Amino acid sequence: MKILVVLTSHDQLGSTGKKTGFWLEEFAAPYYVFKDAGATLTLASPKGGQPPLDPKSDAEDAQTPATRRFRQDSEAQAALASTVKLTDVKADDFDAIFYPGGHGPLWDLAEDRTSVALIEAFHASGKPVSAVCHAPAVFRHPHGPDGRPLVQGRHVTGFSNSEEEAVGLTDVVPFLVQDMLKANGARYSKGPDWQSHVEIDRGLITGQNPASSEAVAEAVLKFLR
């Protein structure tokens, strides 16, 4: 199993002057689910190199067994520090694609033409496309072979409006993931705030929040098997 993991390169939280990036738990938990299952991982980002880490996800109260394992894993840290450029990867070389969240993807990956083309190529080939928390933002522009939005009529989830409100960033983000998915015709659903909730629909595998990270990765593996 060869899995492409695509991380954000964006580190500015709108015009707040604060930093953002990817959310550590949403990278680390799936990373180890995939690795422990014997998958070969390639990490990529729009700019390549070290993707920016959301500092809040590095705080003590955000740590999980997976993030602690990552902090002791020099091999994983080296892999993360040297992501390949997104323009240098081809969908044909992989069996699945996964996007960790954090607020960063709302600004760069949601609008990235290379990412859009990759998602469309993976989906057209029947390969799973997966994203967790804010990363379903990447479904803003991809279309299916029929020319309709990729998520139209599909059961999907992603960071909810109520969760965005709880972290106080409703007026900072460029768009709300829940609203965008529904505007694209998705059958959006959510579980309770901060609880694991995953939707699987014909190769689209989405998770609502950080707590959903591991379950999304496990669903990808199940799809591949």
Side-chain angles (χ1 to χ4, degrees), residues 107-129:
W107 280 274
D108 64 350
L109 290 171
E111 308 299 330
D112 190 285
R113 290 181 181 182
T114 303
S115 175
V116 170
L118 278 170
I119 290 168
E120 291 175 348
F122 270 87
H123 184 71
S125 300
K127 298 173 181 177
V129 178

Side-chain angles (χ1 to χ4, degrees), residues 8-221:
T8 182
S9 292
H10 184 86
D11 70 350
Q12 295 297 315
L13 190 60
S15 56
T16 63
K18 295 177 181 175
K19 292 290 189 182
T20 189
F22 74 94
W23 197 262
L24 185 56
E25 156 73 5
E26 295 165 28
F27 165 73
Y31 179 89
Y32 289 116
V33 170
F34 294 145
K35 273 283 188 189
D36 293 347
T40 301
L41 301 183
T42 297
L43 311 184
S45 62
K47 294 181 180 176
Q50 176 75 55
L53 174 67
D54 187 313
K56 286 189 175 177
S57 74
D58 209 20
E60 185 53 40
D61 63 357
Q63 299 316 297
T64 66
T67 64
R68 292 190 180 95
R69 181 176 171 186
F70 174 76
R71 286 302 178 205
Q72 302 298 318
D73 186 344
S74 57
E75 186 182 326
Q77 291 171 35
L80 182 66
S82 55
T83 66
V84 299
K85 277 192 176 180
L86 203 51
T87 49
D88 292 339
V89 299
K90 296 185 180 73
D92 291 347
D93 296 338
F94 301 95
D95 302 307
I97 188 170
F98 170 71
Y99 289 84
H103 283 87
L106 293 171
W107 280 274
D108 64 350
L109 290 171
E111 308 299 330
D112 190 285
R113 290 181 181 182
T114 303
S115 175
V116 170
L118 278 170
I119 290 168
E120 291 175 348
F122 270 87
H123 184 71
S125 300
K127 298 173 181 177
V129 178
S130 54
V132 69
C133 199
H134 284 91
V138 300
F139 298 124
R140 191 178 194 186
H141 297 301
H143 288 76
D146 58 4
R148 298 188 302 175
L150 191 66
V151 295
Q152 188 172 319
R154 300 292 181 84
H155 293 277
V156 298
T157 189
F159 205 59
S160 66
N161 289 357
S162 54
E163 287 167 320
E164 200 68 81
E165 193 173 325
V167 297
L169 294 174
T170 302
D171 297 327
V172 173
V173 294
F175 61 91
L176 294 167
V177 174
Q178 176 178 333
D179 288 355
M180 178 277 291
L181 291 170
K182 291 172 80 168
N184 275 358
R187 296 176 178 181
Y188 177 89
S189 71
K190 66 183 284 288
D193 287 1
W194 317 116
Q195 302 299 307
S196 179
H197 179 73
V198 175
E199 288 290 337
I200 304 164
D201 193 331
R202 289 165 287 169
L204 285 187
I205 301 170
T206 48
Q208 181 179 325
N209 47 35
S212 315
S213 305
E214 211 162 277
V216 167
E218 286 163 356
V220 171
L221 292 177

